[in-house]
Amino acid sequence: MHTVELLLDEAADSAVRDAWRSLADAGLPSQARHRSPTNSPHLTLAACPELTAPIRWELAEVAAAAALPLPVRFTGVVRFERPTSVLAWALDLDPALAHLHRQVWEAVVSDSPPETLNPFHEPGRWSPHITLGRTRRAGAFAGRRVPELLPAPPLSARLTTLRSYDTETGDLEVLEHRP
């Protein structure tokens, strides 16, 4: 799969990494345990099986038109129990972020088989968040004290770079308009 992600500014990146360390120090699942050099705090907008030439072209157009860096607000801790247990910091889905997300979704949908796309990324279902920890163990973050272990999220951040990550090869690609 190829994800389409937005990276955080330096201060927000550092705050997320502090939260990762807090979870790891408490013995909880944490993104800090992923030692890959490509592991960075990010906001996933969509994922598709292949970044075809038409998708790449549309994403480059989205990146060129996006007002990056895009300011966002953190709204607090959120938990998801999907196939995996996820602890994250939620982001406010303001009109600018919703618009950017919809453009990315439309680019990915334009040249991907519908059954290969994650329905949780669809506009209207997508919950913008920055993952702090994840595990296949159900209820791993259900303890009431888990949020108390975390530093407070920054009040605001900026989303700076649109990129793609290939989950098979580990390759990263910055998605930008190239004249």
Side-chain angles (χ1 to χ4, degrees):
M1 290 298 278
H2 294 260
T3 62
V4 181
E5 309 168 343
L6 284 164
L7 298 179
L8 299 166
D9 64 69
E10 281 186 46
D13 182 282
S14 180
V16 171
R17 290 177 190 276
D18 287 346
W20 288 358
R21 279 189 293 281
S22 295
L23 290 171
D25 291 348
L28 291 167
S30 168
Q31 294 304 101
R33 299 189 196 290
H34 298 280
R35 298 288 183 203
S36 168
T38 62
N39 183 33
S40 298
H42 64 275
L43 172 63
T44 301
L45 300 166
C48 58
E50 181 182 1
L51 278 184
T52 63
I55 292 172
R56 273 191 173 84
W57 184 85
E58 286 194 44
L59 289 173
E61 292 297 311
V62 168
L68 297 178
L70 182 69
V72 292
R73 286 185 324 104
F74 285 91
T75 60
V77 175
V78 64
R79 295 181 185 107
F80 301 105
E81 290 292 335
R82 295 178 183 172
T84 58
S85 291
V86 175
L87 182 73
W89 278 338
L91 294 173
D92 180 33
L93 184 55
D94 66 18
L97 182 56
H99 177 72
L100 177 58
H101 173 252
R102 180 169 292 284
Q103 289 181 307
V104 166
W105 177 257
E106 289 171 359
V108 167
V109 167
S110 72
D111 202 34
S112 297
E115 68 278 3
T116 64
L117 301 176
N118 184 337
F120 289 119
H121 292 149
E122 282 183 47
R125 293 190 69 191
W126 180 65
S127 297
H129 64 278
I130 308 296
T131 299
L132 303 176
R134 75 170 5 141
T135 180
R136 295 198 184 275
R137 195 175 69 231
F141 300 108
R144 292 183 185 173
R145 295 194 60 231
V146 172
E148 295 170 18
L149 298 171
L150 298 171
L155 295 176
S156 63
R158 290 174 301 147
L159 301 170
T160 62
T161 305
L162 189 66
R163 77 172 188 183
S164 178
Y165 172 68
D166 183 332
T167 62
E168 289 182 27
T169 66
D171 291 339
L172 292 173
E173 177 182 351
V174 173
L175 301 166
E176 59 189 354
H177 182 71
R178 294 181 185 124

